[in-house]
Amino acid sequence: MRYRGNVMMKRCFSFVLTMLVAVLVNCGTLHAEEIVCITCHSALPGKYGEPVKLWQGSIHAENGIACNACHGGDPKDAANAMNKDRGFLGAPAYTDVPAFCGRCHVGVLKDYLDSGHGRALATGGPNCVICHSNHHIVKASLDLINEKSCSRCHSYERAKVIKGAMQETEGMIVALDARIAGYKQLGTDTDRLEKELFATRNRFHSLFHNVDVKKVMAESTQIKGELNKLDATLKGLDEQSRQRKLAGAFVVAGLLLAGLLAHLLRKTFD
Ligand code: HEC
Ligand code: HEC
Ligand code: HEC
Ligand code: HEC
Ligand code: HEC
């Protein structure tokens, strides 16, 4: 229990850290049209212009993470934009990519480095870009685990087991999310439920980078246990609202009956 508490704290901490680092790196955000990297590169042909189109519409563009947030450099001074003295890092080599992305995705980097993939980085393991691409990075989902992408270096068998276990849990999370939203719309106080689901979901979505079949299965089972508890709380709410509806129906029926009686009485006196 204590160990799990620590894991939760760690995940929560790493999530907050990602956002904090991103905010710090991004202090004094410029609009895309003021960033000289974009102005100059969008006019360049081939592999120097392409990143701009790919980046537009990425989750990073959406969150204000522009070229200079990843590559460094001075986004306000065209003449010195790519000067090393202005912090320009250039394009990272294959084995430098995890540390490059991990400046912001601190928790993911740690899980990745501990994993079979991270340990094999220098000997054919996939880096972040192999799975997420470099510039057109979108919201991550289990769709990234597919036969085409995961059987390039080894068989799909282990990937399939991981995906199966995670898909089931993902389904439970989506269903619980919808039910909680339903109660929120009805005006029920769902704060605690939302917080619990949020924490569990974060923990779940950082599970994958382990790529350790046993670990993923064991943690998925634990997470399912937590989701089942949430499910039980919601079932309690369902029961309460059923009873309330029933009580409501009785009141309506009672009123109708009273109305009918009043009507009959009036008729009798008329
Ligand atoms: C005035 C035009 C211009 C500006 C401004 C500019 N670049 Fe470039 N950039 C280029 C050209 C041309 C190349 C290809 C030749 C070279 O590497 O110098 C390039 C290359 C690059 C590369 C590839 C380097 C490599 O090692 O392959 C990266 C990454 C890059 N730029 C990022 C940036 C970033 C980030 C900014 C803004 C901070 C920026 N550029 C601003 C013109 C520009
Ligand atoms: C999320 C981080 C990230 C952002 C944002 C980003 N890049 Fe990159 N970029 C990378 C990585 C990682 C590589 C090298 C990866 C690889 O091997 O493909 C790279 C490579 C490049 C290269 C070298 C391409 C080549 O084939 O040699 C250029 C040029 C470049 N980026 C320009 C840009 C420009 C311009 C922007 C802004 C529109 C930008 N990048 C935004 C991560 C980023
Ligand atoms: C300057 C900080 C920064 C760097 C460097 C960076 N990212 Fe991000 N990344 C963010 C922020 C901010 C978000 C949007 C908020 C979020 O979802 O965490 C994001 C979102 C993402 C997402 C979507 C997360 C989701 O919720 O589904 C992926 C995947 C991702 N980044 C991968 C990468 C990869 C791969 C690299 C390196 C090529 C990289 N990032 C480099 C800051 C960064
Ligand atoms: C660029 C090559 C490459 C790609 C692409 C790749 N892997 Fe791997 N994978 C490796 C290497 C290398 C190892 C370590 C040696 C091994 O166990 O086969 C590994 C190991 C694994 C392991 C076992 C880890 C362990 O600790 O037992 C799993 C599970 C796995 N990969 C899943 C996946 C999934 C899922 C995908 C697709 C999203 C994927 N791999 C894509 C290269 C790759
Ligand atoms: C073998 C493929 C693979 C590699 C390598 C990989 N990822 Fe992922 N990543 C995934 C998959 C699949 C998911 C979605 C998991 C899910 O939906 O629960 C994901 C999810 C993410 C997320 C979203 C996590 C969240 O909390 O929602 C981020 C951020 C991310 N990856 C960044 C990275 C970074 C940074 C690296 C390199 C250090 C990296 N990934 C390496 C496949 C990969």
Side-chain angles (χ1 to χ4, degrees):
M1 216 36 225
R2 178 133 172 223
Y3 167 71
R4 273 169 55 194
N6 280 341
V7 169
M8 292 276 271
M9 287 284 285
K10 224 175 67 196
R11 302 283 191 223
C12 226
F13 179 67
S14 91
F15 180 79
V16 171
L17 204 63
T18 309
M19 294 310 290
L20 197 67
V21 173
V23 167
L24 286 177
V25 170
N26 239 356
C27 252
T29 305
L30 299 167
H31 290 293
E33 60 273 15
E34 303 165 40
I35 296 173
V36 297
C37 328
I38 295 173
T39 333
C40 186
H41 273 269
S42 50
L44 295 174
K47 68 174 191 178
Y48 294 115
E50 219 155 58
V52 180
K53 279 180 228 116
L54 292 171
W55 170 80
Q56 282 159 351
S58 72
I59 192 160
H60 289 121
E62 229 173 81
N63 283 276
I65 306 291
C67 325
N68 53 297
C70 277
H71 290 290
D74 190 338
K76 292 185 225 169
D77 181 353
N80 295 294
M82 298 195 300
N83 197 321
K84 279 205 170 62
D85 294 339
R86 303 280 171 95
F88 185 61
L89 301 168
Y94 187 89
T95 51
D96 292 333
V97 167
F100 186 85
C101 308
R103 286 172 296 158
C104 296
H105 299 290
V106 181
V108 174
L109 174 64
K110 194 184 169 298
D111 289 343
Y112 167 83
L113 289 176
D114 286 345
S115 77
H117 282 160
R119 290 195 303 270
L121 176 62
T123 53
N127 69 7
C128 322
V129 159
I130 294 283
C131 295
H132 290 287
S133 90
N134 49 12
H135 296 111
H136 192 68
I137 294 174
V138 295
K139 193 160 177 52
S141 81
L142 295 178
D143 295 343
L144 288 171
I145 309 172
N146 58 71
E147 185 145 19
K148 185 160 168 273
S149 158
C150 305
S151 60
R152 280 171 49 180
C153 310
H154 48 62
S155 93
Y156 186 59
E157 280 316 302
R158 294 173 301 186
K160 201 165 136 187
V161 176
I162 289 184
K163 184 166 181 173
M166 291 188 74
Q167 250 170 344
E168 200 186 314
T169 314
E170 169 90 5
M172 285 172 80
I173 292 178
V174 170
L176 285 171
D177 197 33
R179 279 168 67 196
I180 293 175
Y183 274 109
K184 193 179 178 153
Q185 230 167 22
L186 293 176
T188 312
D189 179 11
T190 52
D191 244 26
R192 193 178 62 85
L193 288 170
E194 278 177 78
K195 277 196 191 117
E196 273 174 35
L197 186 62
F198 182 75
T200 309
R201 180 201 271 132
N202 278 345
R203 204 169 127 224
F204 171 70
H205 282 300
S206 61
L207 201 55
F208 172 77
H209 295 100
N210 285 325
V211 290
D212 179 329
V213 179
K214 269 200 202 126
K215 239 189 201 161
V216 172
M217 298 296 282
E219 280 228 26
S220 283
T221 307
Q222 259 189 24
I223 287 174
K224 267 184 228 157
E226 282 162 32
L227 294 173
N228 278 330
K229 273 190 213 145
L230 275 176
D231 183 64
T233 311
L234 279 166
K235 285 217 175 91
L237 283 178
D238 287 347
E239 180 58 24
Q240 275 173 22
S241 94
R242 202 181 61 85
Q243 282 175 1
R244 229 179 288 126
K245 271 187 202 143
L246 209 62
F250 271 122
V251 170
V252 170
L255 284 174
L256 281 175
L257 203 63
L260 189 67
L261 278 176
H263 179 69
L264 286 176
L265 277 173
R266 220 176 52 217
K267 258 193 146 172
T268 325
F269 281 108
D270 275 352

